[in-house]
Amino acid sequence: MTRQVSAAILAACMASVALVTGQTKVTAPDNNYSPADDVKLGREAAAEVEKQLPMLNDDRVDGYVERVGARLVENIPAEFRHNGFRYTFDVVNLREINAFALPGGPMYAHRGMLEKARTEGEIAGVLAHEISHVALRHGTAQASAAKPYQIGQIGSAILGAIIGGKWGGVVSEGGQFAFGAAFLRYSREYERQADILGAQIMARTGYDAREMASMFRTIEEEGGGRAPEWLSNHPNPGNRAEYITREAQSLPVQNPIRNTPDFESVQTRLGQMPPAPSTEEAARGASSGEGTSRAPAGSTARPSERVEAPASKTVTYNEGDVFRITVPSNWRELASEASVTFAPEGGYGAVNGNSVFTHGVQAGLSRNETHGLEEATEELIAAFGQSNPQLRRAGKAARTTMGGRTTLRTQLTNVSEATGGRERIMLYTTQLKDGSLFYLVGVAPDGEWNAYQPVINRVATSIRFLQ
Ligand SMILES: [Zn+2]
């Protein structure tokens, strides 16, 4: 009898130990920023997101996502709660299955995600994953590690990574062009953390965490041969379904919530609306009246006709730990949404609310990792062409080197929206060690090309990669 009791007690102890050790402990990464920085950056980026992306603005759908999200937020473990964070959920009227989070709490779910989800639990899985990125402060943690620009510019860099832009930052078919990408393209380790913490939050809220894994499977199948947009921000750390399932097994939930009448009625409502556009279609629509180049954020002046010739004196800049570049001393460094532009006074500004540059160079990084140089360059030019319908190739691409790496040099022509005049463009593209595509694009009006071409060429020659 005594022995049996001991055995029962022992079994109970083992079960509770197993439960505790079964849950993976998550530790927020080091972060040089304060939680108040997260709030400020996220708020700035959110204002921009809501201006640039097609928001659904449907009270019933937004209200539903808010309610599911709010219940998950209540179950964020105490150690990951931050004063001042405000978790909000909005729906973007885009077809792809995607979602993203900004520092400090603003979160966005694509309508496509709500439509493709088979259960409320699947929606909760995506939201819990995004909530975890916010709570673990992954955006600014990543910025702490990368830090190419000053803090005031990170908000726009984050934004560039999400919505892309035109020159230097388009969200194209699965390819996003951005330095800012560093801030939003979470590392695989952060992805894993968001999956694990997300699974724990789901279980605490009453959902079966395995539904997160099933939503991720739907997302990965969606792409059809092409990488789904979701994966460009949330790379698969590998064995995703397996470790989420394992975590879920340590988080048993009695009678988990799967479907709710709310879920059914929201899906019916979405089905009655006109179909959501794809990101590409939306970008095309929004880009009518778009300028040559995405822009120095905050510049409001129009580019002028009078632009000082490139100085013969030069200045060298280190762009984070990515590259070094030497440009004429009278060109300003304009860290933009998703790239960095160097242009003379009068050679950049805004047209119809869009930033453009007519003289100078812009450098950016595309995260397209899956193609060879030729193919990646094709995709980049196609992406530029979406917002620059007059963009044309002028001859065949030539092989050269930049920073010691094999490089394609492609000549293009365009009609500048700023001046209405023809402009010439030289595009240099090369793949970095990690497979991402680095580009340098030089622009000048047709009539000034003879003066600018050698300068643009010298700038390209000056590039040194720091990794
Ligand atoms: Zn993620």
Side-chain angles (χ1 to χ4, degrees):
M1 185 71 203
T2 308
R3 287 179 74 98
Q4 277 173 342
V5 169
S6 306
I9 290 168
L10 189 64
C13 289
M14 279 174 67
S16 78
V17 167
L19 197 65
V20 171
T21 56
Q23 267 193 50
T24 308
K25 186 169 161 40
V26 176
T27 309
D30 289 344
N31 199 316
N32 295 342
Y33 298 97
S34 68
D37 291 331
D38 281 48
V39 171
K40 180 172 173 289
L41 290 168
R43 200 173 286 157
E44 285 169 11
E48 201 61 27
V49 160
E50 287 165 32
K51 211 160 69 191
Q52 306 259 3
L53 289 189
M55 305 307 293
L56 185 67
N57 291 326
D58 181 274
D59 288 346
R60 275 178 49 198
V61 177
D62 282 334
Y64 168 66
V65 177
E66 277 282 350
R67 282 193 298 280
V68 174
R71 278 193 284 116
L72 294 161
V73 167
E74 281 170 25
N75 288 292
I76 298 171
E79 67 264 40
F80 301 124
R81 291 171 185 265
H82 302 285
N83 282 338
F85 277 29
R86 225 183 122 243
Y87 293 86
T88 58
F89 302 87
D90 281 286
V91 180
V92 182
N93 192 31
L94 288 172
R95 188 190 305 160
E96 293 86 359
I97 306 181
N98 207 355
F100 59 90
L102 297 174
M107 273 166 283
Y108 300 87
H110 281 198
R111 178 177 153 193
M113 190 273 284
L114 304 177
E115 288 176 324
K116 296 278 170 49
R118 281 165 299 196
T119 61
E120 180 169 302
E122 291 193 343
I123 293 173
V126 169
L127 299 183
H129 176 98
E130 298 298 336
I131 288 167
S132 300
H133 279 311
V134 175
L136 294 166
R137 305 182 55 218
H138 282 160
T140 47
Q142 204 124 281
S144 303
K147 216 176 189 180
Y149 304 123
Q150 296 302 304
I151 185 157
Q153 290 157 336
I154 288 172
S156 54
I158 290 170
L159 177 68
I162 304 159
I163 60 166
K166 310 309 160 197
W167 278 102
V170 161
V171 177
S172 75
E173 315 154 4
Q176 299 188 359
F177 305 94
F179 276 118
F183 305 114
L184 209 80
R185 186 193 192 190
Y186 302 113
S187 70
R188 288 176 163 78
E189 179 50 30
Y190 291 1
E191 278 308 298
R192 218 182 114 83
Q193 285 197 332
D195 291 342
I196 299 288
L197 182 60
Q200 294 169 0
I201 291 171
M202 280 183 84
R204 292 164 66 129
T205 313
Y207 293 102
D208 181 343
R210 281 173 297 193
E211 297 215 54
M212 183 195 288
S214 74
M215 188 73 207
F216 288 162
R217 258 195 306 275
T218 305
I219 288 170
E220 303 208 358
E221 284 158 10
E222 183 206 25
R226 179 186 289 167
E229 203 179 291
W230 161 272
L231 287 180
S232 62
N233 287 342
H234 305 275
N236 188 337
N239 303 322
R240 194 164 220 166
E242 288 90 310
Y243 69 72
I244 293 174
T245 305
R246 213 179 314 127
E247 193 70 22
Q249 281 160 357
S250 71
L251 303 163
V253 178
Q254 300 296 324
N255 304 318
I257 309 160
R258 289 191 198 281
N259 275 357
T260 59
D262 239 10
F263 169 79
E264 305 287 350
S265 84
V266 159
Q267 278 207 330
T268 305
R269 185 172 177 80
L270 290 172
Q272 289 161 347
M273 293 178 186
S278 68
T279 301
E280 197 189 329
E281 287 162 356
R284 216 182 289 136
S287 72
S288 48
E290 202 68 43
T292 304
S293 323
R294 191 88 202 159
S299 61
T300 50
R302 273 186 84 91
S304 70
E305 309 247 313
R306 287 168 46 84
V307 174
E308 199 179 275
S312 51
K313 233 182 110 205
T314 58
V315 185
T316 298
Y317 295 88
N318 275 7
E319 296 301 333
D321 56 0
V322 182
F323 69 100
R324 178 178 303 151
I325 187 170
T326 301
V327 299
S329 60
N330 62 338
W331 289 6
R332 283 188 56 195
E333 182 196 34
L334 304 150
S336 176
E337 289 178 359
S339 56
V340 58
T341 303
F342 298 92
E345 282 305 327
Y348 64 89
V351 173
N352 303 331
N354 299 304
S355 301
V356 300
F357 77 105
T358 56
H359 300 66
V361 298
Q362 185 173 82
L365 203 58
S366 149
R367 326 177 215 170
N368 193 323
E369 293 175 3
T370 52
H371 306 287
L373 178 57
E374 277 82 5
E375 203 180 335
T377 302
E378 285 299 323
E379 286 193 6
L380 181 67
I381 294 171
F384 287 164
Q386 281 176 20
S387 48
N388 295 274
Q390 303 293 325
L391 189 73
R392 300 285 180 271
R393 278 166 183 278
K396 276 182 69 175
R399 282 195 175 261
T400 178
T401 60
M402 183 167 60
R405 309 191 72 84
T406 301
T407 297
L408 278 186
R409 190 181 60 204
T410 309
Q411 281 208 53
L412 304 157
T413 62
N414 191 32
V415 175
S416 167
E417 207 215 350
T419 64
R422 293 187 66 76
E423 60 187 6
R424 295 234 233 161
I425 294 161
M426 189 69 88
L427 171 69
Y428 298 81
T429 46
T430 188
Q431 282 182 308
L432 302 186
K433 285 202 186 89
D434 65 359
S436 57
L437 186 74
F438 175 89
Y439 70 86
L440 178 77
V441 61
V443 179
D446 202 30
E448 294 170 66
W449 188 244
N450 287 345
Y452 274 82
Q453 187 187 6
V455 177
I456 291 166
N457 190 32
R458 272 200 297 279
V459 172
T461 311
S462 78
I463 300 270
R464 292 290 175 274
F465 296 107
L466 305 176
Q467 287 171 329

